[in-house]
Amino acid sequence: MATYAKLPLLSKGPAQPDKPSSLKVGLYMVAWIVSSNITILFNKWLLDTAGFKYPILLVTWHLIFATVVTQILAHTTTYLDSRHDLPNNWDFFLTTVLPIGIVSSGSLVASNFVYLYLSVAVIQMLKAASPVSVLLVSWIFGVVNPTLEKILNILVIAVGVAVASAGTVEFSAIGFFFQMGGLAFEAVRVVMTQVMLNGEGLKMDAMVGLYYYAPIVAVLNLLVAFVIEVPHFDMEDFNRVGFPMLFLNAAVAFTLNFTSMVLIGKTSGLVMSLSGIFKNILLVICSVLIWHVTITPIQLFGYSVTLCALVYYSLGREKLREGYEASLNWVSGVATNNGVSIRTRKVTTSMHSLFAKITGPKRVKIRIKPDYDYVFLTGYGPEAQGQYLRGKLLLFVPEKQHVQSVHLKFTSRMWLGDHAAPTEQATKWQQREQTIHSWSPFRTVDHPSKNVLNGKEYEWPFELFIKGNQDETFKGCNRCSITYLLEASTEPQDVRSFTPIRIIRTPAFSSYELMDPSSVHGKWSTKAEYNISVRHRAIALGGLIPIDAQVCASSKIAKARFYLREIHTVDDVFEGQRVVTEWPLDVKKESELQSWQQCLHLPLAVRSCSPDLSMHGVKISHTLHFEVTFVTDGITTEEEISMPIHLFISPELPVNGWGIFVQNQDITSKEVKDVLAEGIRVPPRYCDVELSLEGYGLPVGTPPPAYSEC
């Protein structure tokens, strides 16, 4: 077995990236706005003014260029290393990448065709309807249940877009059809990405998305182009534009994807949304200046209504209110310092009151802020070690309102259904709810408070020692689970809030049998010899499996792979299995000795792969399988061996109360890769995560969804 160099333990977490300064954020925004606007204007110029009227071929060329560049970047830089966190198998390609690629193709084709029929200004006005299409598709897919406020907000956007469209002087029904089709395809793409990737705990930034989708979409678009555009293609159009101009156009389009990745990575999606609104306004202005597009007063009014609704949609009432109040306070302070008349300050106060009436009164809010929303228990049985759960309880009380006390408790809920039942309706359920600890009421009387905007804020610390024999959190399937909650409520208003807490059990340092290497060797019926070894049986969930495999065979090896199988048993009367993921291996041609030494990446989603456990008759275990396909005299045979491994949640890659991996380090870096490959040698460590929901309602009589941590 190959040796791995031991690295020193991580005594503390890696340095967190510094928050970018306002200047850097501004530069990121400018870079994205400029690259986006240049790309759109460049495409419009090529397709309309320059006469290269082949939108499908143009976007296909962009994708071919992106395919080549992303392949180069993947093999020469670290920009695309996050692709290793995604599954690498045909199932992921066929069920996730290909469907998203198909709708991406439709979005790109429709969005580029529209440049032949509508001006840039009108296109940007119609694109403002994007939130409408995304919300509708999300509702159809069952991803969201929109509130009445959001529906009204979306209707205002739709009305504004309709007014802007009706006021267009040179309206094209074909262009309008293509633009609406592009928005529909894009909405489906966004929702499919949310469901298929984010729903599985997977992340794919813009560059990695190009790496996966560009080749697929390029092939699909090329097939469409062969039917629609290639039969009518004229080389004169190509010669008139020239290859250097097309190359520059593709480079600019690729730069847009890079700057969008940087902007989201360094700031947030909200910053990008607000920057997009400003970008669209600039595009409308540029369209008027370059192509002398006529903007009617009706268009201007409709687009203004849409932009206002978009700002409200992006920020929400609370953020707008806070920003407005902060502005008023600043104006009031400046007025006071400069001796402005009392009348001016009265006007400011009146505006403040009017805005408060419009946006509604402030509400009582509770926030539960655990220092860490997960607790690690070490070991098993009577020697298991517990851990403290600590945090703060925050209460905001608006002016002219009163709260007597806040009640806090730590509860558990266990669901256990009959796994042998043929249907969900026939399942008999056992449900147990238990209050593990209830704190004495946190009273506001005589407790110090802090004056904040429009009210007071109270703060109380809390702590609870979680004993080592406490059951760990698990959700093995849709018929068994144990979950924990910190629940808070106020008296007398009964405002509620909760935060899920995950209790994690990790092997003790004395679990030598889990730290020992695991290996198998022998000979198959095909007379092929094999030697497979794993550095240690204990593997960190979401981490890496360091393997060393050799196969010596006289027969030809057609393919080889590792795959991970998860076995789920209940009371020894039910057994279910699933293949978690697979790792195809590269096979050398014309070589009797095949060897592989690498690290296999486990999925970064708890719903895709559960940790090992055994409690209340429920058991989850895993086996690592090695499968080889031989070809002898034209006859294909498959041989396979397996070895048990133990998956656990490592303190180096913890899972929070919501079932999401807390990645406070880049696991694609070499240092952390090696540390995770070291297995359970890493010491417990926590990181600060704040997650809280308010006004919750717990489901009654409904079990949690299958393999879901939400």
Side-chain angles (χ1 to χ4, degrees):
M1 177 178 174
T3 59
Y4 293 78
K6 288 189 176 182
L7 294 178
L9 300 182
L10 294 181
S11 58
K12 60 181 181 179
Q16 297 295 321
D18 295 332
K19 185 178 180 180
S21 63
S22 299
L23 177 61
K24 287 185 177 180
V25 171
L27 291 176
Y28 297 145
M29 292 170 60
V30 170
W32 178 71
I33 290 173
V34 170
S35 61
S36 178
N37 286 1
I38 289 178
T39 301
I40 293 173
L41 295 173
F42 204 162
N43 288 347
K44 173 65 175 177
W45 179 82
L46 278 175
L47 295 171
D48 190 10
T49 307
F52 189 77
K53 301 182 183 298
Y54 308 103
I56 303 177
L57 287 175
L58 181 63
V59 74
T60 303
W61 160 239
H62 290 174
L63 294 165
I64 294 173
F65 183 91
T67 300
V68 174
V69 175
T70 51
Q71 289 294 328
I72 294 173
L73 291 176
H75 292 87
T76 59
T77 69
T78 60
Y79 284 118
L80 299 174
D81 277 4
S82 61
R83 73 186 190 279
H84 297 306
D85 299 335
L86 298 170
N88 183 21
N89 52 56
W90 278 104
D91 182 64
F92 175 70
F93 175 81
L94 294 175
T95 61
T96 301
V97 176
L98 184 59
I100 296 177
I102 292 173
V103 294
S104 298
S105 174
S107 173
L108 289 171
V109 169
S111 299
N112 276 272
F113 251 113
V114 74
Y115 288 115
L116 298 176
Y117 301 96
L118 295 175
S119 66
V120 172
V122 175
I123 291 172
Q124 295 312 120
M125 292 180 184
L126 294 178
K127 279 185 178 180
S130 177
V132 180
S133 58
V134 171
L135 186 66
L136 287 175
V137 174
S138 300
W139 178 66
I140 293 172
F141 273 70
V143 176
V144 297
N145 289 315
T147 61
L148 179 61
E149 181 183 11
K150 185 162 288 188
I151 292 174
L152 292 175
N153 193 179
I154 289 296
L155 287 176
V156 173
I157 295 175
V159 169
V161 171
V163 172
S165 303
T168 304
V169 175
E170 298 177 356
F171 182 78
S172 169
I174 298 177
F176 180 82
F177 170 78
F178 275 119
Q179 184 58 62
M180 292 299 104
L183 290 179
F185 275 116
E186 181 63 14
V188 174
R189 185 195 68 81
V190 169
V191 176
M192 287 178 67
T193 301
Q194 181 181 353
V195 173
M196 296 180 176
L197 287 175
N198 301 344
E200 295 291 335
L202 305 175
K203 293 184 178 180
M204 183 182 289
D205 59 43
M207 294 292 285
V208 175
L210 267 186
Y211 174 84
Y212 277 100
Y213 300 132
I216 301 169
V217 182
V219 172
L220 294 173
N221 286 1
L222 196 59
L223 294 176
V224 176
F226 269 113
V227 176
I228 298 177
E229 293 182 347
V230 172
H232 310 288
F233 184 78
D234 189 350
M235 281 300 297
E236 284 296 323
D237 296 330
F238 175 82
N239 294 331
R240 183 169 55 254
V241 174
F243 179 76
M245 192 63 69
L246 291 174
F247 183 88
L248 180 62
N249 178 247
V252 170
F254 182 82
T255 304
L256 170 60
N257 288 279
F258 183 79
T259 54
S260 65
M261 178 194 70
V262 173
L263 181 63
I264 294 178
K266 298 295 184 181
T267 57
S268 66
L270 177 61
V271 172
M272 191 170 187
S273 298
L274 296 177
S275 302
I277 295 173
F278 180 66
K279 172 185 73 72
N280 292 342
I281 296 174
L282 284 180
L283 267 178
V284 173
I285 296 174
C286 290
S287 177
V288 173
L289 295 176
I290 297 173
W291 285 283
H292 306 290
V293 177
T294 302
I295 303 295
T296 65
I298 295 178
Q299 276 183 288
L300 192 59
F301 171 75
Y303 193 46
S304 300
V305 171
T306 301
L307 290 178
C308 292
L310 279 173
V311 172
Y312 188 89
Y313 183 83
S314 300
L315 292 175
R317 179 171 58 181
E318 288 298 321
K319 285 189 178 293
L320 282 174
R321 179 190 177 105
E322 290 172 5
Y324 181 78
E325 289 173 344
S327 302
L328 287 181
N329 290 338
W330 178 80
V331 171
S332 179
V334 172
T336 302
N337 294 334
N338 291 277
V340 179
S341 66
I342 297 177
R343 182 177 179 181
T344 302
R345 294 198 294 273
K346 284 184 176 180
V347 170
T348 304
T349 304
S350 300
M351 292 174 63
H352 185 286
S353 301
L354 177 62
F355 192 79
K357 290 180 180 179
I358 294 173
T359 57
K362 283 281 187 177
R363 295 175 296 175
V364 174
K365 293 183 180 179
I366 319 173
R367 285 192 296 163
I368 307 172
K369 293 184 62 177
D371 293 344
Y372 321 102
D373 61 349
Y374 47 86
V375 174
F376 275 95
L377 309 179
T378 306
Y380 303 90
E383 297 181 356
Q385 299 178 5
Q387 176 72 44
Y388 272 100
L389 170 65
R390 295 187 174 97
K392 297 176 182 178
L393 186 62
L394 302 176
L395 171 68
F396 170 76
V397 181
E399 296 173 350
K400 299 180 181 180
Q401 295 191 40
H402 177 67
V403 172
Q404 294 179 359
S405 60
V406 180
H407 300 268
L408 179 67
K409 60 182 179 179
F410 184 57
T411 62
S412 70
R413 286 166 176 79
M414 184 181 79
W415 289 88
L416 186 58
D418 180 11
H419 285 64
T423 63
E424 294 295 323
Q425 291 75 14
T427 303
K428 295 181 180 179
W429 292 95
Q430 299 178 38
Q431 181 184 6
R432 185 186 71 188
E433 296 187 12
Q434 180 183 4
T435 298
I436 299 173
H437 181 77
S438 183
W439 282 264
S440 299
F442 298 93
R443 302 191 182 279
T444 58
V445 179
D446 298 329
H447 187 80
S449 62
K450 180 173 64 175
N451 290 325
V452 294
L453 189 65
N454 294 327
K456 294 182 178 181
E457 187 174 75
Y458 297 85
E459 179 180 310
W460 297 274
F462 66 85
E463 73 172 19
L464 173 65
F465 184 75
I466 307 296
K467 297 180 180 179
N469 62 355
Q470 186 68 50
D471 290 337
E472 62 195 277
T473 300
F474 81 90
K475 285 191 176 180
C477 70
N478 63 336
R479 297 189 184 182
C480 54
S481 66
I482 292 182
T483 55
Y484 295 91
L485 293 176
L486 276 172
E487 302 180 59
S489 61
T490 62
E491 187 181 350
Q493 291 93 333
D494 195 28
V495 176
R496 293 172 176 257
S497 178
F498 81 100
T499 295
I501 301 295
R502 190 176 193 98
I503 296 181
I504 304 168
R505 189 173 302 280
T506 191
F509 286 93
S510 58
S511 301
Y512 297 114
E513 73 279 3
L514 296 179
M515 298 182 67
D516 289 340
S518 178
S519 62
V520 291
H521 57 86
K523 184 180 293 185
W524 282 312
S525 59
T526 54
K527 298 182 180 180
E529 296 184 8
Y530 59 85
N531 185 7
I532 316 299
S533 58
V534 178
R535 181 179 175 85
H536 38 72
R537 281 185 57 201
I539 305 295
L541 197 67
L544 309 163
I545 306 177
I547 59 96
D548 191 1
Q550 296 92 28
V551 176
C552 184
S554 57
S555 302
K556 178 184 177 182
I557 298 179
K559 60 181 179 179
R561 67 164 182 161
F562 278 95
Y563 70 90
L564 182 65
R565 184 182 297 277
E566 184 173 288
I567 302 99
H568 177 53
T569 60
V570 180
D571 293 327
D572 297 326
V573 297
F574 170 83
E575 179 174 311
Q577 298 185 11
R578 64 171 174 171
V579 174
V580 173
T581 188
E582 64 173 312
W583 302 273
L585 303 174
D586 294 329
V587 177
K588 301 176 184 177
K589 295 182 179 179
E590 308 301 331
S591 176
E592 292 187 358
L593 178 62
Q594 302 282 348
S595 62
W596 302 271
Q597 182 181 339
Q598 61 191 76
C599 284
L600 310 177
H601 291 253
L602 285 169
L604 272 173
V606 180
R607 65 184 299 177
S608 299
C609 185
S610 304
D612 282 39
L613 62 89
S614 180
M615 63 172 71
H616 301 292
V618 178
K619 183 178 180 181
I620 295 178
S621 58
H622 297 84
T623 53
L624 181 65
H625 295 250
F626 178 60
E627 182 184 83
V628 181
T629 302
F630 296 95
V631 178
T632 307
D633 298 330
I635 300 175
T636 301
T637 57
E638 289 186 352
E639 301 287 356
E640 179 180 317
I641 58 99
S642 64
M643 61 180 71
I645 61 173
H646 181 88
L647 296 186
F648 70 101
I649 299 176
S650 167
E652 284 298 324
L653 196 60
V655 178
N656 65 21
W658 300 97
I660 301 172
F661 280 99
V662 180
Q663 301 178 55
N664 59 332
Q665 61 251 340
D666 179 10
I667 69 163
T668 62
S669 66
K670 182 181 184 302
E671 180 184 15
V672 178
K673 270 188 178 181
D674 290 340
V675 170
L676 286 177
E678 286 293 312
I680 62 176
R681 293 183 61 248
V682 291
R685 192 181 75 246
Y686 307 106
C687 65
D688 188 10
V689 177
E690 176 188 342
L691 286 169
S692 177
L693 289 180
E694 298 179 1
Y696 71 96
L698 293 175
V700 178
T702 304
Y707 291 102
S708 173
E709 294 292 329
C710 298

